[in-house]
Amino acid sequence: MEPLRAPTGTHDLMPGDSARWVALLGVFAALAEKSGFGLIHTPLFEDVRLFRRGVGTETEVVGKEMYEFTDRGGRAMALRPEGTASVVRAFIQHHPIPPFRAWYATPTFRYERPQAGRYRQHHQVGVEVLGIADADVDVEVLALANDYLQGLGLSGYTLRLNSLGDAACRPQYVASLREYLTANQGSLCEEHKGKISANPLRILDCKDERCRSVSVGAPTMSEALCEQCAEHFARVKAGLDAQNISYFLDAKLVRGLDYYTRTTFEVTLDLGEGELTILGGGRYDGLVEVLGGVPTPGIGFGSGIERVLLACDRQDVFAIQPTVPMVYIVDTTDGAHARDLVASLRKEGLIAERAYGNRSMKSQFKTADRSGARFALVIGDREAADGTITIRDLRGGGEQVVVARDALLTSLLELAAKN
RNA sequence: GUGGGUAUAGCUCAGCUGGUUAGAGCGCCUGGUUGUGGUCCAGGAGGUCGCGGGUUCGAACCCCGUUACUCACCCCA
């Protein structure tokens, strides 16, 4: 039989490596909670129609990358391809009193070919705010995103910002864009020559040289914003300026999910070869209504944990060391002392580890050393006989003291305080 | 979905134009020190050379297929 392994595009997060995940989640949770967000957990799978309607059938994410399956009751389900739709669904279902602020940390699934920073199951942290149309909340959300990345130690990333307009002005803009593209149809890349009517905005994001040169002369959304959208966008920019959050206005920024309106953003990082998007989001004022709720504005972002950590690796920041024991118990009698001592020390709040299997003193010390523990606590025949414990400092030259069992804790704290 | 690269020990890799018992470093285990790790020395365990087929007296090496990993395109976190 073929050895079993994790499915294509997935990976195991092993103890040791997971230490920085724990730390990352801590950073994000602390920031989110401080800003009034509460944790939300929604099912990993949902009625497939949620994503079809919410994210859009035309999008790649839903159209060709979604994990869909039929459950045993014959229901069409899908694994979550992104974070927002489920939160909005929960909001509609439970009628919390707005404003509603939730943060999440969740796996997301997309059936695509894996490559650097790209997985079939990846993980995102994110936030959503529902019920506030005020542009100031856009600034809050962007500031949170910025604080998060900064909090990890990242730098040199670019916040790309755009406004996609709303139901009042976007249709007109799309019409004029379509008109322009149709006039230049012959100059577009092969793929987009026939795709104009489906989603003309996407062509602005095409990396093909031919499409790009056509895009240069295309009408931009920012020129076409209605008065309210323009005011909203101006207020967002003013807020970012006031908080010294730098951004880059990217009129070509179009996101791959259909629900976005007005403020839209992405954070990218140049890794030498190509840019990596580590965070993305925006406003989605029409989404609640599309999903059957009473019209409610919303905004949020998601950020890929694997990509963010990849970026941290490249920048040599956020190198979290796994937790290391304070003491490691070496017991060459029969292990009963180790068994009882490790339990009582843990109750006292110390991180304590021990050797198992009654191995030689030498090999127990090897595992003690490997554990990274600060002190070894030795219980051999002598200590067992006279009720003492030998404390050996594993960091320095190996200084040892023999202490009475009752004095162990105070002695340890004294020794630890020395340096 | 399309294209490139890779697949040999737990890890990182070597293996000359196909040649007989497949190697190194690190890691692991044991001993040198029957009460002491991190250094040093000695020994040991561990591989059906991704899988299937073919060519050949003989294949880790050549050919075909296949799977996986990886990178890029597309798209995205």
Side-chain angles (χ1 to χ4, degrees):
Chain A
M1 192 173 102
E2 285 275 303
L4 295 169
R5 36 166 40 257
T8 296
T10 68
H11 59 280
D12 299 308
L13 176 64
M14 302 293 279
D17 296 338
S18 63
R20 60 201 315 229
W21 277 61
V22 173
L24 178 146
L25 292 172
V27 168
F28 190 78
L31 280 169
E33 295 281 341
K34 201 166 64 182
S35 308
F37 292 83
L39 175 66
I40 186 169
H41 257 328
T42 60
L44 281 186
F45 56 94
E46 298 265 5
D47 188 314
V48 69
R49 291 171 296 182
L50 171 62
F51 304 115
R52 292 241 176 86
R53 285 218 293 266
V55 180
T57 322
E58 291 301 315
T59 62
E60 297 254 328
V61 167
V62 167
K64 45 188 279 201
E65 294 177 354
M66 199 153 62
Y67 272 93
E68 298 183 41
F69 65 98
T70 306
D71 73 9
R72 287 172 185 268
R75 291 169 279 257
M77 313 299 287
L79 298 182
R80 150 188 317 162
E82 56 91 52
T84 302
S86 301
V87 175
V88 170
R89 193 226 80 230
F91 172 81
I92 294 169
Q93 181 175 333
H94 300 287
H95 301 95
I97 299 165
F100 176 74
R101 297 168 187 260
W103 70 271
Y104 59 80
T106 179
T108 56
F109 304 86
R110 293 179 197 174
Y111 191 89
E112 47 189 349
R113 291 290 293 269
Q115 64 192 65
R118 206 245 214 104
Y119 304 97
R120 288 188 176 174
Q121 176 179 337
H122 76 276
H123 300 79
Q124 292 188 14
V125 293
V127 299
E128 310 292 346
V129 181
L130 286 141
I132 305 177
D134 195 319
D136 289 356
V137 85
D138 300 27
V139 178
E140 276 183 44
V141 165
L142 283 163
L144 176 58
N146 193 52
D147 288 345
Y148 163 59
L149 299 175
Q150 248 175 33
L152 298 177
L154 288 171
S155 57
Y157 49 82
T158 305
L159 170 60
R160 296 176 183 280
L161 192 65
N162 193 18
S163 175
L164 294 181
D166 63 7
C169 51
R170 178 128 63 124
Q172 286 171 18
Y173 168 68
V174 170
S176 68
L177 179 62
R178 185 174 285 135
E179 201 173 305
Y180 170 83
L181 291 172
T182 306
N184 295 279
Q185 192 158 15
S187 314
L188 295 173
C189 75
E190 298 308 319
E191 189 194 338
H192 284 128
K193 275 178 182 167
K195 224 181 178 179
I196 294 176
S197 57
N199 196 339
L201 285 174
R202 203 66 52 72
I203 296 174
L204 297 179
D205 201 33
C206 182
K207 277 145 197 127
D208 188 280
E209 274 309 316
R210 289 166 290 183
C211 281
R212 291 179 89 155
S213 54
V214 172
S215 296
V216 170
T220 63
M221 186 69 233
S222 55
E223 301 161 342
L225 291 177
C226 62
E227 199 178 326
Q228 287 84 347
C229 283
E231 268 174 31
H232 185 98
F233 198 36
R235 176 86 184 179
V236 171
K237 288 184 282 190
L240 293 174
D241 291 338
Q243 295 190 29
N244 288 316
I245 298 173
S246 54
Y247 53 89
F248 172 74
L249 288 178
D250 184 355
K252 303 282 192 286
L253 176 66
V254 177
R255 306 208 18 91
L257 314 178
D258 282 354
Y259 50 63
Y260 287 113
T261 56
R262 292 195 168 171
T263 314
T264 309
F265 53 90
E266 243 176 46
V267 175
T268 59
L269 196 58
D270 192 358
L271 292 182
E273 352 68 66
E275 293 205 314
L276 189 70
T277 301
I278 56 176
L279 186 148
R283 193 162 262 291
Y284 43 85
D285 292 341
L287 182 57
V288 175
E289 191 175 7
V290 165
L291 293 176
V294 294
T296 307
I299 181 169
F301 70 77
S303 174
I305 294 176
E306 288 86 352
R307 285 190 180 181
V308 163
L309 289 178
L310 179 65
C312 287
D313 286 340
R314 298 296 177 89
Q315 296 196 353
D316 252 337
V317 297
F318 205 62
I320 301 297
Q321 298 308 316
T323 307
V324 143
M326 170 80 167
V327 297
Y328 193 98
I329 301 163
V330 169
D331 178 351
T332 56
T333 61
D334 71 345
H337 289 100
R339 178 193 65 204
D340 301 338
L341 189 57
V342 81
S344 72
L345 289 176
R346 283 174 183 164
K347 281 193 184 120
E348 296 291 348
L350 290 189
I351 304 176
E353 194 44 80
R354 56 162 291 198
Y356 297 93
N358 222 3
R359 308 209 298 158
S360 71
M361 176 98 35
K362 181 185 176 111
S363 70
Q364 292 195 38
F365 260 97
K366 281 196 176 185
T367 55
D369 182 56
R370 212 179 301 147
S371 76
R374 175 70 203 279
F375 299 106
L377 302 184
V378 184
I379 303 172
D381 293 333
R382 288 204 296 269
E383 289 85 352
D386 55 18
T388 56
I389 288 173
T390 297
I391 305 173
R392 182 180 175 89
D393 189 333
L394 291 174
R395 283 208 204 141
E399 299 79 17
Q400 294 193 177
V401 291
V402 180
V403 301
R405 190 115 174 204
D406 314 0
L408 176 61
L409 209 58
T410 47
S411 302
L412 276 174
L413 295 177
E414 266 173 39
L415 287 168
K418 277 187 185 166
N419 48 14

